[in-house]
Amino acid sequence: MSHNTFGHLFRVTTFGESHGVALGCVVDGCPPGLPLEAEEIQAELDRRKPGQSRFTTQRREPDQVKILSGVFSDDRTDGRQFTTGTPIALMIENTDQRSKDYSEIRDSYRPGHADYTYDAKYGIRDYRGGGRSSARETAARVAAGAVARKVIPGISIRAALVQMGPHAIDRSRWDWDEVGNNPFFCPDAETASFYETYLDGIRKDGSSVGAIIEVVAEGVPPGLGAPVYGKLDADLAAAMMSINAVKGVEIGDGFAAAALRGEDNADEMRAGNGDRPRFLANHAGGILGGISSGEPVVVRFAVKPTSSILTSRRSVTRDGDEVDLVTKGRHDPCVGIRAVPVAEAMMACVLADHYLRHRGQVGQQP
Amino acid sequence: MSHNTFGHLFRVTTFGESHGVALGCVVDGCPPGLPLEAEEIQAELDRRKPGQSRFTTQRREPDQVKILSGVFSDDRTDGRQFTTGTPIALMIENTDQRSKDYSEIRDSYRPGHADYTYDAKYGIRDYRGGGRSSARETAARVAAGAVARKVIPGISIRAALVQMGPHAIDRSRWDWDEVGNNPFFCPDAETASFYETYLDGIRKDGSSVGAIIEVVAEGVPPGLGAPVYGKLDADLAAAMMSINAVKGVEIGDGFAAAALRGEDNADEMRAGNGDRPRFLANHAGGILGGISSGEPVVVRFAVKPTSSILTSRRSVTRDGDEVDLVTKGRHDPCVGIRAVPVAEAMMACVLADHYLRHRGQVGQQP
Amino acid sequence: MSHNTFGHLFRVTTFGESHGVALGCVVDGCPPGLPLEAEEIQAELDRRKPGQSRFTTQRREPDQVKILSGVFSDDRTDGRQFTTGTPIALMIENTDQRSKDYSEIRDSYRPGHADYTYDAKYGIRDYRGGGRSSARETAARVAAGAVARKVIPGISIRAALVQMGPHAIDRSRWDWDEVGNNPFFCPDAETASFYETYLDGIRKDGSSVGAIIEVVAEGVPPGLGAPVYGKLDADLAAAMMSINAVKGVEIGDGFAAAALRGEDNADEMRAGNGDRPRFLANHAGGILGGISSGEPVVVRFAVKPTSSILTSRRSVTRDGDEVDLVTKGRHDPCVGIRAVPVAEAMMACVLADHYLRHRGQVGQQP
Amino acid sequence: MSHNTFGHLFRVTTFGESHGVALGCVVDGCPPGLPLEAEEIQAELDRRKPGQSRFTTQRREPDQVKILSGVFSDDRTDGRQFTTGTPIALMIENTDQRSKDYSEIRDSYRPGHADYTYDAKYGIRDYRGGGRSSARETAARVAAGAVARKVIPGISIRAALVQMGPHAIDRSRWDWDEVGNNPFFCPDAETASFYETYLDGIRKDGSSVGAIIEVVAEGVPPGLGAPVYGKLDADLAAAMMSINAVKGVEIGDGFAAAALRGEDNADEMRAGNGDRPRFLANHAGGILGGISSGEPVVVRFAVKPTSSILTSRRSVTRDGDEVDLVTKGRHDPCVGIRAVPVAEAMMACVLADHYLRHRGQVGQQP
């Protein structure tokens, strides 16, 4: 991952600022001949779109995606559109750029935000809505992820919110079907009800909370991952950590594995179907030695609480003067919620890339 | 990070198997004119070397490093050796390759190891000592890290073991000077004493435990990191996750940040020295928006328990027959211990790379 | 250079097909704080624009560029726009997409074109106007080059057509000021007059001719280039060879150097100004050992004749049937002419990239 | 190509100086399961080895290659050695490091060499034998090329010297079998005889001459190459231009194509065998739109005369004083000769890389 590009064979380059003309991405290296309609990308974007419940920012952005290149249809395809193997450029124009007074954010550094560090690095900063450091950039990832999902046949990628603030779900109640039934992408209906009240309280306090997201990929063939620095888990760690506000990433048992003894952690095997062993457990989260084992790939990551809050915080201005700041505006009280579709997109992109890399080096369909 | 190379301007490519002829690395893109003697690299390698206490594998490897290229000295330099800006190749020859019977490991898949996944990917595997998937590869990283430490002036990088099995240290007793006084790189002398007894028990049981390592870089200038996929934390996450047996990585407060409220997590600022603000806390672990803030960069990662244990585990053979396996041989009861110098090396490499990348794009010394 | 991206620190990714919605590029890694207005990019695009004389295709494309991201202005900058260090996305919408009958080009392979090879590779092809293989893609390069020109202070990059068909210019009459005075970017006014008559004849025959272009960069500091595979001349060779229809690239004396003796080819040196030697000749074209010497960087490349001609050629259809083809439509009789601004753009991008790479590794302004 | 690495999936990183401890390379991304013995690599190295006739440098280097990693054999393979998919490190130790007086080359800049530019870039330089800029580095390429040849089944790669000084061969006498029969890799026996006398004269004069090399790959499947910056010809241009002393590269008709008319240059097609057309000519040198057509890939490049000559040349010292220099020592009077096996190696590496890249993106065996 370098600059604003990630992936080795399936490469995604994103661009755009929160309040600029447009944002988008170029997906390069996609296999040819995959069916791809704008509507499919739009469906993914709509899941991430702000303003869908009172628990996400009220900024109104239609987030309408346009495919600029890399697909083709004609009468021979009956009007169905296919990838051609050339770069797929996707663009989302910004529409809700309220004219507002940016003087405070222009001159002061909001605690927890990237205001100071962007200034320290570049000496110049598009401060409107956070500019390039805004989570709005993740719309471009979701669009790219919709393309990536097409690459590996038979794969399923789903994510869910498994903790909000200090409140974890009850995993025994996990039901993927519930994820679409509440505004939190929460797989535990009972905890989701609790979150409504809880997050309302946080929101009314002008505060915010963090969250933990879990993303699971099923149908990943064994053999994906390229030791030792192109390990599948290393690339997943980078992919998830690159999402705004993420502060930790773990695979399988993750940090809990540190507390285990060897005999509890090593997933045993028995004879399975065909030439694959059957694993009796999946502490490893589907990855051994950086290479997929055929078991579900399980990744979790922690999102810090939204830094924009209505409580006054101490800070400094560009010129070094001390100030007290309140970040007004339309904010997500739990920015982790909208990270759920982003997590799926990043998983899809990483797996698509490794699928192509494996096929390149080893040849057979893994 | 692709294949066996990481870094963008400061690039490290490693090679070698556990029981092959040699292992090593090529460090490319190092600035010219840095003093570099083999002894300095050797000193770092000696910290990672096996067989230094009864708590690490008894394999006896001198791990003697040889510089093959990229440095120069003559009478004008008074015999002192300097980097020339060309690739620095470092080689460590393997000496302790006991002839032993590999038939079991050749035909069966050790649970928790990469045996099955390497076979699934490549169809062929150097099974002796784990081949390429052996933690022995990390010697090459430590060698590269010794070079990387030279790149940023005034930087300090230190790591410590902060949890073994379920037993965390008492952070109020943290003393960096203690790290060198016990065989665990533990900064808390009292807990280190406890670990002696604890790990002896684990070892005698033929079992193993995991650990958590913390690595801290001080003196990192603000401005390092390249949004949005070349974020400093994204690269650190990949770097640490690529270390053998690592299952989780976090920055600053990490997973604990998910449980915080916004007003507790956002590090406040006051007027500081010169043109830098003074941060009143460092929940962010020195990184905001993927860019260093000038505060200490703090990374923690979890290492799973060593998979090679003396307890019999269920598994299958290459041919799919069910077997019960005991992994005999010389093992680390807590492989996390020797990950401490490796963590420092990876931190040094990532920071060196981002230092050069920043200087390339922005120009001034950050 | 991989897929549709080139450059290491100054990275350009282009997208778009000849008759698609839009084409453009993302310029990533540009230094912050450089003044950049759309008008400056437009001025370069206008030099490459088709339909400016009877000697280029009559396709009417305004080639209007839009900056989508990566720049910023506010009242503090007096409305002047500056780069911010984030990705600069540039877009050119296609407007002249005449509805026409593509059935012939859809089913048959035009000799000299990439029709067959795209089909052989991808199995699907946007055949309208050549799709991705159209020289229209070079508009995106010219736009990127306009940004690249800003990176190195005091640099001058100019290109000229020095041969059309078998007719070379008389180098003794070389006058850079003439380049803008004729429709061929020819620095020799007398030969330019001859080309008018000559190319009219070619055009009326429904034929085409090749050309040789020379591009010269002055003010390049010594020290740019990264041995041994990031050599400045290797990157320039790739950059120029990647331009449509280019079949050969040479540096300095190029192929003629093969016929020289050592004493004639080795550019002698004498004491110069300051710490740089003065070279008494520049057979090397400003590059020694892959690194710039401070002398003008001189590159020449050969462009083959336009493959679309009105003479009937033998070919086959997608289904393998034999056909005779005439490529009707609006063509450049000498596609080399419009390669002149493209050559300048590629030179600018390569030099900008190496300038940043050098600054990254070595630190001082070279 | 960046720093000292080239290739995207089949990646080669080389290291080493002319008079350092050792030189070599790491080949990363090689497919697993390819038979590979050190002897096969040695056979290629022996073709490039100096001191085989009076027409190459009399430096005596056995150039003995050692495989350090990435291959495996056991009783199941009957002792035959196969690649494992992990990095293949190859090392050649330097043995003939005559102690000599380097004071002149240390302090003065040899015209035509990289002495000045390395100093300008790095400020420090291993001047012994040219250090990193020595053509000795190409031994590592030849070793890597021996591995690359294994990747594409049924491919044939051969190179020959087709011009020495101003004297081109007679192509009507081309006989590949003659290439091994003379010390010049010349396919025209009659001209080879002439070269003996000619080059003896050059050598006795203490002078040198340039050369042109042609390399031809047969059996390249159609479809290799990745538009638009990963074009097969762009990568070949970079690969050849990166060879020491190369000043020009051309594909197919190359520079001569500039003088052709469209109807002569566009290779016509007729129905062929199976699903491939039959091309009636190959002006394009096997590449159309950056993608292989299935025709032989034909590349030529120009090598400048050896810069080390016995004729006194004007130059300056490091301190800027004017001097007259004679480059004593053991030199190749025509360094182009030993570029022949290097050309084959670079062709093999580029094609292997594109073969894997194509398989990655598109899937089927091309």
Side-chain angles (χ1 to χ4, degrees), chain B residues 230-269:
Chain B
K231 280 179 170 166
L232 184 56
D233 38 5
D235 278 358
L236 285 169
M240 300 307 166
M241 193 66 95
S242 78
I243 300 173
N244 304 55
V246 171
K247 300 303 287 183
V249 183
E250 58 183 14
I251 311 284
D253 279 12
F255 277 86
L260 293 179
R261 288 169 64 113
E263 54 273 30
D264 301 319
N265 182 66
D267 305 321
E268 294 182 294
M269 288 168 264

Short mmCIF file of all heavy atoms in Angstrom, two decimals, chain B residues 230-269:
data_model
loop_
_atom_site.label_atom_id
_atom_site.label_comp_id
_atom_site.label_asym_id
_atom_site.label_seq_id
_atom_site.Cartn_x
_atom_site.Cartn_y
_atom_site.Cartn_z
N GLY B 230 -1.12 4.54 2.48
CA GLY B 230 0.25 4.47 2.98
C GLY B 230 0.32 5.06 4.37
O GLY B 230 1.34 5.60 4.77
N LYS B 231 -0.80 4.96 5.10
CA LYS B 231 -0.83 5.48 6.47
C LYS B 231 0.25 4.81 7.32
O LYS B 231 0.50 3.61 7.18
CB LYS B 231 -2.20 5.21 7.09
CG LYS B 231 -3.27 6.20 6.65
CD LYS B 231 -4.63 5.86 7.28
CE LYS B 231 -5.63 6.98 7.03
NZ LYS B 231 -7.02 6.56 7.32
N LEU B 232 0.82 5.58 8.21
CA LEU B 232 1.86 5.03 9.08
C LEU B 232 1.32 3.85 9.90
O LEU B 232 1.99 2.82 10.05
CB LEU B 232 2.39 6.13 10.01
CG LEU B 232 3.54 5.75 10.92
CD1 LEU B 232 4.72 5.21 10.13
CD2 LEU B 232 3.97 6.96 11.76
N ASP B 233 0.12 3.98 10.42
CA ASP B 233 -0.43 2.88 11.23
C ASP B 233 -0.78 1.67 10.38
O ASP B 233 -0.63 0.53 10.84
CB ASP B 233 -1.61 3.32 12.10
CG ASP B 233 -2.54 4.32 11.44
OD1 ASP B 233 -2.35 4.62 10.25
OD2 ASP B 233 -3.47 4.78 12.10
N ALA B 234 -1.21 1.90 9.13
CA ALA B 234 -1.50 0.77 8.26
C ALA B 234 -0.23 -0.02 7.97
O ALA B 234 -0.21 -1.26 8.01
CB ALA B 234 -2.15 1.25 6.96
N ASP B 235 0.84 0.69 7.71
CA ASP B 235 2.12 0.01 7.43
C ASP B 235 2.65 -0.68 8.68
O ASP B 235 3.23 -1.78 8.59
CB ASP B 235 3.14 1.00 6.88
CG ASP B 235 2.97 1.24 5.38
OD1 ASP B 235 2.08 0.60 4.77
OD2 ASP B 235 3.70 2.05 4.81
N LEU B 236 2.47 -0.07 9.84
CA LEU B 236 2.90 -0.73 11.07
C LEU B 236 2.07 -1.98 11.34
O LEU B 236 2.60 -3.01 11.79
CB LEU B 236 2.79 0.24 12.26
CG LEU B 236 3.87 1.32 12.32
CD1 LEU B 236 3.52 2.37 13.37
CD2 LEU B 236 5.24 0.70 12.65
N ALA B 237 0.79 -1.89 11.07
CA ALA B 237 -0.07 -3.06 11.28
C ALA B 237 0.38 -4.23 10.40
O ALA B 237 0.50 -5.37 10.86
CB ALA B 237 -1.52 -2.70 10.98
N ALA B 238 0.66 -3.93 9.15
CA ALA B 238 1.12 -4.99 8.25
C ALA B 238 2.47 -5.53 8.72
O ALA B 238 2.70 -6.74 8.72
CB ALA B 238 1.23 -4.45 6.83
N ALA B 239 3.35 -4.64 9.11
CA ALA B 239 4.70 -5.05 9.50
C ALA B 239 4.66 -5.98 10.70
O ALA B 239 5.34 -7.01 10.74
CB ALA B 239 5.54 -3.82 9.82
N MET B 240 3.86 -5.65 11.70
CA MET B 240 3.80 -6.48 12.90
C MET B 240 3.03 -7.77 12.63
O MET B 240 3.42 -8.84 13.08
CB MET B 240 3.16 -5.72 14.05
CG MET B 240 3.89 -4.44 14.45
SD MET B 240 5.67 -4.69 14.79
CE MET B 240 6.24 -2.97 14.79
N MET B 241 1.94 -7.66 11.86
CA MET B 241 1.16 -8.86 11.58
C MET B 241 1.96 -9.86 10.74
O MET B 241 1.67 -11.05 10.76
CB MET B 241 -0.12 -8.46 10.84
CG MET B 241 -1.17 -9.55 10.77
SD MET B 241 -1.86 -10.01 12.39
CE MET B 241 -3.35 -8.98 12.44
N SER B 242 2.94 -9.37 10.01
CA SER B 242 3.74 -10.28 9.18
C SER B 242 4.75 -11.09 10.00
O SER B 242 5.36 -12.02 9.48
CB SER B 242 4.48 -9.49 8.10
OG SER B 242 5.62 -8.84 8.63
N ILE B 243 4.93 -10.73 11.27
CA ILE B 243 5.83 -11.51 12.13
C ILE B 243 5.15 -12.84 12.46
O ILE B 243 3.94 -12.89 12.70
CB ILE B 243 6.14 -10.74 13.44
CG1 ILE B 243 6.83 -9.40 13.12
CG2 ILE B 243 7.01 -11.59 14.37
CD1 ILE B 243 7.02 -8.49 14.34
N ASN B 244 5.93 -13.89 12.49
CA ASN B 244 5.37 -15.23 12.73
C ASN B 244 4.52 -15.25 13.99
O ASN B 244 4.93 -14.74 15.03
CB ASN B 244 6.50 -16.23 12.92
CG ASN B 244 7.44 -16.23 11.72
OD1 ASN B 244 7.96 -15.17 11.36
ND2 ASN B 244 7.62 -17.37 11.11
N ALA B 245 3.36 -15.89 13.91
CA ALA B 245 2.49 -16.18 15.06
C ALA B 245 1.75 -14.97 15.61
O ALA B 245 1.02 -15.09 16.60
CB ALA B 245 3.28 -16.85 16.19
N VAL B 246 1.87 -13.80 14.96
CA VAL B 246 1.15 -12.62 15.44
C VAL B 246 -0.31 -12.69 14.97
O VAL B 246 -0.58 -13.01 13.81
CB VAL B 246 1.82 -11.32 14.96
CG1 VAL B 246 0.96 -10.11 15.27
CG2 VAL B 246 3.19 -11.18 15.63
N LYS B 247 -1.24 -12.43 15.87
CA LYS B 247 -2.67 -12.51 15.55
C LYS B 247 -3.43 -11.20 15.76
O LYS B 247 -4.64 -11.15 15.50
CB LYS B 247 -3.35 -13.61 16.40
CG LYS B 247 -2.78 -15.01 16.20
CD LYS B 247 -2.81 -15.52 14.77
CE LYS B 247 -4.18 -15.90 14.27
NZ LYS B 247 -4.09 -16.45 12.89
N GLY B 248 -2.78 -10.18 16.29
CA GLY B 248 -3.48 -8.91 16.49
C GLY B 248 -2.48 -7.78 16.66
O GLY B 248 -1.37 -8.00 17.17
N VAL B 249 -2.88 -6.59 16.22
CA VAL B 249 -2.02 -5.41 16.31
C VAL B 249 -2.88 -4.24 16.73
O VAL B 249 -4.01 -4.09 16.26
CB VAL B 249 -1.38 -5.06 14.95
CG1 VAL B 249 -0.44 -3.87 15.08
CG2 VAL B 249 -0.65 -6.25 14.36
N GLU B 250 -2.37 -3.40 17.62
CA GLU B 250 -3.12 -2.18 17.96
C GLU B 250 -2.17 -1.01 18.16
O GLU B 250 -1.00 -1.18 18.48
CB GLU B 250 -4.01 -2.42 19.19
CG GLU B 250 -3.28 -2.85 20.44
CD GLU B 250 -4.24 -3.14 21.61
OE1 GLU B 250 -5.46 -3.27 21.41
OE2 GLU B 250 -3.73 -3.24 22.75
N ILE B 251 -2.72 0.18 17.97
CA ILE B 251 -1.96 1.43 18.07
C ILE B 251 -2.55 2.22 19.24
O ILE B 251 -3.76 2.35 19.35
CB ILE B 251 -2.13 2.28 16.79
CG1 ILE B 251 -1.87 1.44 15.52
CG2 ILE B 251 -1.27 3.53 16.84
CD1 ILE B 251 -0.46 1.13 15.21
N GLY B 252 -1.68 2.78 20.06
CA GLY B 252 -2.17 3.58 21.19
C GLY B 252 -3.11 2.77 22.06
O GLY B 252 -2.80 1.66 22.46
N ASP B 253 -4.29 3.32 22.34
CA ASP B 253 -5.24 2.59 23.17
C ASP B 253 -5.81 1.35 22.49
O ASP B 253 -6.36 0.47 23.16
CB ASP B 253 -6.41 3.51 23.58
CG ASP B 253 -6.05 4.39 24.76
OD1 ASP B 253 -4.85 4.46 25.10
OD2 ASP B 253 -6.96 5.00 25.34
N GLY B 254 -5.74 1.31 21.20
CA GLY B 254 -6.14 0.12 20.46
C GLY B 254 -7.57 -0.31 20.72
O GLY B 254 -8.49 0.52 20.69
N PHE B 255 -7.74 -1.60 20.99
CA PHE B 255 -9.09 -2.13 21.19
C PHE B 255 -9.82 -1.46 22.36
O PHE B 255 -11.04 -1.35 22.36
CB PHE B 255 -9.06 -3.66 21.36
CG PHE B 255 -9.02 -4.37 20.05
CD1 PHE B 255 -7.82 -4.61 19.41
CD2 PHE B 255 -10.20 -4.76 19.42
CE1 PHE B 255 -7.78 -5.25 18.17
CE2 PHE B 255 -10.18 -5.39 18.19
CZ PHE B 255 -8.96 -5.64 17.55
N ALA B 256 -9.05 -1.01 23.34
CA ALA B 256 -9.69 -0.34 24.47
C ALA B 256 -10.37 0.97 24.05
O ALA B 256 -11.31 1.43 24.72
CB ALA B 256 -8.64 -0.06 25.56
N ALA B 257 -9.92 1.56 22.95
CA ALA B 257 -10.52 2.81 22.50
C ALA B 257 -11.99 2.63 22.13
O ALA B 257 -12.79 3.58 22.21
CB ALA B 257 -9.75 3.38 21.30
N ALA B 258 -12.35 1.42 21.73
CA ALA B 258 -13.75 1.16 21.34
C ALA B 258 -14.70 1.44 22.51
O ALA B 258 -15.85 1.82 22.32
CB ALA B 258 -13.91 -0.28 20.86
N ALA B 259 -14.21 1.25 23.73
CA ALA B 259 -15.06 1.41 24.91
C ALA B 259 -15.09 2.83 25.45
O ALA B 259 -15.83 3.13 26.39
CB ALA B 259 -14.60 0.44 26.01
N LEU B 260 -14.28 3.70 24.85
CA LEU B 260 -14.20 5.08 25.37
C LEU B 260 -15.27 5.97 24.77
O LEU B 260 -15.85 5.67 23.73
CB LEU B 260 -12.82 5.67 25.05
CG LEU B 260 -11.62 5.05 25.75
CD1 LEU B 260 -10.34 5.75 25.29
CD2 LEU B 260 -11.76 5.16 27.28
N ARG B 261 -15.50 7.09 25.45
CA ARG B 261 -16.32 8.15 24.90
C ARG B 261 -15.41 9.18 24.25
O ARG B 261 -14.23 9.30 24.61
CB ARG B 261 -17.15 8.80 26.00
CG ARG B 261 -18.29 7.90 26.51
CD ARG B 261 -18.91 8.47 27.76
NE ARG B 261 -19.56 9.75 27.51
CZ ARG B 261 -20.89 9.95 27.59
NH1 ARG B 261 -21.70 8.95 27.91
NH2 ARG B 261 -21.40 11.14 27.38
N GLY B 262 -15.97 9.93 23.31
CA GLY B 262 -15.18 10.88 22.53
C GLY B 262 -14.37 11.85 23.37
O GLY B 262 -13.21 12.14 23.07
N GLU B 263 -14.96 12.35 24.46
CA GLU B 263 -14.25 13.37 25.24
C GLU B 263 -13.05 12.77 25.98
O GLU B 263 -12.13 13.48 26.36
CB GLU B 263 -15.19 14.11 26.20
CG GLU B 263 -15.99 13.24 27.15
CD GLU B 263 -17.32 12.76 26.55
OE1 GLU B 263 -17.40 12.59 25.32
OE2 GLU B 263 -18.26 12.53 27.33
N ASP B 264 -13.07 11.45 26.21
CA ASP B 264 -11.94 10.82 26.89
C ASP B 264 -10.83 10.43 25.92
O ASP B 264 -9.68 10.31 26.31
CB ASP B 264 -12.41 9.56 27.62
CG ASP B 264 -13.48 9.90 28.66
OD1 ASP B 264 -13.33 10.93 29.35
OD2 ASP B 264 -14.47 9.15 28.77
N ASN B 265 -11.23 10.20 24.68
CA ASN B 265 -10.26 9.65 23.73
C ASN B 265 -9.46 10.71 22.97
O ASN B 265 -8.32 10.47 22.58
CB ASN B 265 -11.00 8.76 22.72
CG ASN B 265 -10.07 8.12 21.73
OD1 ASN B 265 -9.23 7.30 22.10
ND2 ASN B 265 -10.15 8.54 20.48
N ALA B 266 -10.10 11.87 22.73
CA ALA B 266 -9.46 12.88 21.89
C ALA B 266 -8.36 13.59 22.70
O ALA B 266 -8.64 14.32 23.65
CB ALA B 266 -10.50 13.88 21.40
N ASP B 267 -7.12 13.39 22.32
CA ASP B 267 -5.99 13.95 23.05
C ASP B 267 -5.97 15.48 22.92
O ASP B 267 -5.76 16.00 21.83
CB ASP B 267 -4.68 13.36 22.53
CG ASP B 267 -4.68 11.83 22.58
OD1 ASP B 267 -5.21 11.26 23.56
OD2 ASP B 267 -4.16 11.21 21.63
N GLU B 268 -6.14 16.15 24.05
CA GLU B 268 -6.16 17.62 24.02
C GLU B 268 -4.75 18.18 23.80
O GLU B 268 -3.76 17.50 23.99
CB GLU B 268 -6.76 18.14 25.33
CG GLU B 268 -8.24 17.75 25.48
CD GLU B 268 -8.84 18.30 26.77
OE1 GLU B 268 -8.40 17.87 27.86
OE2 GLU B 268 -9.73 19.16 26.67
N MET B 269 -4.72 19.44 23.40
CA MET B 269 -3.44 20.10 23.10
C MET B 269 -3.34 21.44 23.83
O MET B 269 -4.34 22.11 24.04
CB MET B 269 -3.33 20.38 21.60
CG MET B 269 -3.10 19.17 20.74
SD MET B 269 -3.34 19.55 18.96
CE MET B 269 -5.05 19.01 18.75
#
